[in-house]
Amino acid sequence: ILSKQLLRSGTSIGANVEESIGAQSIKDFLSKLSVAYKEARETSYWLRLLQATDYLTEKQANSLLSDAEELCRIIGKIQTTIKNR
């Protein structure tokens, strides 16, 4: 169940970023990017849970968590830049 949740939230990040590229307005763009950010945060949660239950080693989890956190920073920076325009 946990791995399915991770798969769902992890793939949703890219899907929502892709949708944001085809957005019909800035508001729509930010909305879809906001969903991508939330999914990245959720993905981090599932990764931490999988690590805590020993489904992932600490090394695996740290690598994947680092990637998820970097996605959050990138998406967050894009949101901030667009909002400040």
Side-chain angles (χ1 to χ4, degrees), residues 4-17 31-48 68-69 71-72 75 79:
K4 287 182 182 181
Q5 290 288 26
L6 176 64
L7 178 63
R8 186 196 59 74
S9 65
T11 56
S12 182
I13 300 165
N16 280 289
V17 168
S31 175
K32 288 177 178 17
L33 216 53
S34 177
V35 173
Y37 180 82
K38 291 178 195 179
E39 294 294 340
R41 300 280 309 165
E42 181 181 340
T43 298
S44 293
Y45 168 77
W46 293 120
L47 289 169
R48 289 190 307 274
E69 289 167 9
L71 284 172
C72 285
I75 294 168
Q79 289 173 304

Side-chain angles (χ1 to χ4, degrees), residues 26 30 78-85:
I26 295 297
L30 285 171
I78 293 168
Q79 289 173 304
T80 300
T81 300
I82 296 297
K83 287 176 184 176
N84 290 334
R85 283 190 176 175

